[in-house]
Amino acid sequence: MKEEYEAYCAAHGRPERIELMLSDINAVLRGKWLPGDALGKLTSGAVRLPYSTYAPAIMGNEVEATGLGIVVGDPDGALVPVKGSLRPVPWMPGTVAQMQVEMLTPEGQASPISPRGILERMVDRFTAHGWHPVVATELEFFLLRPRSKAYDAPKPPVRTPAAQNYDLEVVARQEAILTEILRACDVQGLETDTLIAEYGPGQFEVNFHHTGDVLAAADTALLFRRLVRGVVAKHGMEATFMAKPYADAPGNGMHVHASVLDDTGENIFNHQAGPAPSATLKNAVAGVLATMEELQAIFAPHMNSYRRFQPMSFAPSTPDWGLDNRAAGVRLPEVTGPGARLEHRISGADVNPYLVLTAILGGMMHGLETAPDLPLPIDDPASEPAQRLGHDWFDAVERFAASDRAAEMFGTEFRDVYAAVKHDEVQTLTGMITPVEYQYYLSRL
């Protein structure tokens, strides 16, 4: 860590502060500001947070049913740095650095409820088979006019068409913001690929390069969301990765491309014999489809997430697959050559990327190990429509809470903590009386 810090200072100057960032289970970044010359305090284990910081509800409260927090005295865990995560924060004034951290249990062990640690253990399972996942993410977000109150409805930037798909003029109008986003990505080492105007008003998508460093891919998705919000706020606007900010426009998704290499570097999904998918790729797809319903609470973690699962919502919402078919929940863009892969299209952009990648890889592992039955692709005239994923948040959380596969992929302790947090969120947020209920019921019933 000392060498990393000295290299950082040589390249960027000594930071005034280091922002220590811990991802909780909702991918909300929590942590502390550390003086720029106090790194030794972190590396010695003297910087701590309550261990319950991993698992608050989205409202910020601790959840007693997790067995964490004040019910057990709210003990601390020591923060430990994530190697290679010290980066400048170019959109902030002064010389500010950021660093990702993990937290040990109060007993000093690796945490079983760390989202990043859970993904790391899933990658280790692939490695034990001689398999090496390669992944890439695509993230969508909306630019918004600034709002005066947190509960104000969003509004797109001025002169924004209702449908702006691939419109280069729309991109040009936001050139100052988008260029600074890409420049900040370059400074932070987040390797972007293409940028486009997406369908919704003020909506954009950035794609990231494929990488065999699965943890880095998840880190990139997490850090990109923070970067975008920071840069956009600097320009007097807002940005959101909320799944469905507009009822009458497409929502924000996070698509994931995934393939697997063997120890020789060959893509195990490559079907050299012809244009049809290989048996190995079919097995991986079958595993992803077989586990999709049980893991929906990972792919759609919030109340708003389920608005993307409504009919005609422009988002795939069915455990089905197709060859280069964007209507499918799992699309196969290529089935031959080094680019043979699947594209998982179910998740919203509001997810925890560590948990989503764990779920997708876990589904692929299930398929590779057990070869479950694969339904016909939706392109086949003989195929029968699959049962759509549910649009009820509570039901999805209940399925996850009872899922043996979720316990096997994420660990029983994490499954139970995650379910407890989501049950608390469901109870709190669905228990609120909404303005529309007052508008149509209060004076009429």
Side-chain angles (χ1 to χ4, degrees):
M1 197 67 245
K2 182 180 178 181
E3 291 178 359
E4 183 176 341
Y5 178 75
E6 289 176 349
Y8 175 93
C9 292
H12 306 287
R14 190 172 301 278
E16 298 168 8
R17 70 172 184 267
I18 303 174
E19 299 187 344
L20 306 179
M21 306 181 306
L22 178 85
S23 173
D24 73 10
I25 64 173
N26 279 315
V28 174
L29 290 171
R30 303 181 185 275
K32 293 184 174 184
W33 285 6
L34 185 72
D37 59 357
L39 188 67
K41 186 177 180 182
L42 174 66
T43 57
S44 70
V47 182
R48 306 169 73 82
L49 280 175
Y51 186 62
S52 59
T53 305
Y54 268 131
I58 194 66
M59 298 83 67
N61 60 285
E62 65 177 45
V63 179
E64 184 176 336
T66 62
L68 305 171
I70 199 63
V71 294
V72 291
D74 208 13
D76 281 345
L79 299 183
V80 293
V82 172
K83 183 180 178 181
S85 68
L86 185 61
R87 294 179 169 95
V89 186
W91 60 88
M92 288 188 177
T95 54
V96 179
Q98 67 181 39
M99 177 185 288
Q100 292 172 260
V101 293
E102 288 284 79
M103 185 164 39
L104 303 178
T105 66
E107 296 76 30
Q109 305 300 314
S111 172
I113 61 171
S114 158
R116 195 175 192 276
I118 287 168
L119 177 57
E120 186 173 21
R121 290 189 286 276
M122 178 59 71
V123 172
D124 288 343
R125 290 179 56 188
F126 272 77
T127 303
H129 283 273
W131 297 331
H132 309 280
V134 175
V135 300
T137 64
E138 304 170 354
L139 275 168
E140 296 169 337
F141 62 93
F142 280 92
L143 296 183
L144 314 171
R145 280 181 264 175
R147 300 169 305 138
S148 59
K149 300 180 182 66
Y151 51 78
D152 286 344
K155 294 181 180 179
V158 295
R159 297 180 60 208
T160 297
Q164 59 175 44
N165 214 18
Y166 305 115
D167 191 326
L168 289 175
E169 185 176 344
V170 169
V171 178
R173 287 178 193 156
Q174 303 300 335
E175 181 180 6
I177 292 176
L178 298 175
T179 299
E180 186 167 351
I181 287 172
L182 295 178
R183 188 180 299 119
C185 285
D186 184 58
V187 170
Q188 291 203 330
L190 310 183
E191 296 187 0
T192 59
D193 191 1
T194 57
L195 181 150
I196 62 169
E198 258 295 348
Y199 195 99
Q203 187 181 34
F204 299 89
E205 179 184 89
V206 169
N207 297 347
F208 296 94
H209 287 292
H210 291 254
T211 176
D213 190 338
V214 176
L215 287 171
D219 292 338
T220 293
L222 181 75
L223 297 178
F224 180 72
R225 297 197 309 210
R226 179 177 194 255
L227 181 154
V228 168
R229 287 192 292 265
V231 169
V232 171
K234 180 181 172 182
H235 287 261
M237 301 276 282
E238 287 188 57
T240 185
F241 292 82
M242 180 178 172
K244 188 77 168 172
Y246 299 108
D248 56 353
N252 287 321
M254 188 184 86
H255 301 160
V256 176
H257 294 254
S259 57
V260 179
L261 308 183
D262 62 20
D263 283 335
T264 70
E266 294 296 318
N267 186 340
I268 70 171
F269 294 159
N270 178 18
H271 193 204
Q272 299 177 351
S278 66
T280 309
L281 180 52
K282 286 182 176 180
N283 286 341
V285 171
V288 168
L289 298 182
T291 57
M292 192 175 284
E293 186 177 33
E294 291 177 61
L295 304 180
Q296 188 180 3
I298 296 294
F299 305 131
H302 305 294
M303 180 169 68
N304 175 261
S305 306
Y306 291 82
R307 294 190 179 276
R308 289 183 69 250
F309 290 90
Q310 304 295 333
M312 303 304 292
S313 70
F314 295 91
S317 56
T318 307
D320 52 21
W321 70 284
L323 295 171
D324 198 16
N325 191 323
R326 286 181 168 83
V330 175
R331 167 179 170 250
L332 304 187
E334 297 181 43
V335 298
T336 61
R341 66 192 187 275
L342 63 83
E343 179 190 10
H344 188 280
R345 297 176 55 82
I346 293 295
S347 296
D350 58 341
V351 297
N352 185 315
Y354 300 110
L355 302 182
V356 164
L357 289 179
T358 299
I360 294 171
L361 294 179
M364 292 167 59
M365 175 76 75
H366 170 68
L368 292 170
E369 290 181 336
T370 66
D373 291 336
L374 179 67
L376 292 172
I378 62 173
D379 322 87
D380 192 312
S383 67
E384 297 182 1
Q387 181 69 36
R388 294 174 64 90
L389 294 172
H391 59 267
D392 186 276
W393 187 23
F394 176 74
D395 287 346
V397 173
E398 287 287 275
R399 288 194 297 272
F400 185 84
S403 170
D404 291 335
R405 288 200 184 109
E408 190 268 334
M409 291 182 194
F410 296 90
T412 302
E413 183 174 351
F414 178 85
R415 182 200 63 181
D416 295 346
V417 166
Y418 187 84
V421 169
K422 292 301 160 184
H423 278 132
D424 184 79
E425 292 176 0
V426 169
Q427 183 177 6
T428 300
L429 298 182
T430 62
M432 296 178 179
I433 306 298
T434 64
V436 73
E437 293 173 82
Y438 292 137
Q439 180 179 351
Y440 290 108
Y441 300 146
L442 193 65
S443 63
R444 294 184 178 183
L445 300 177

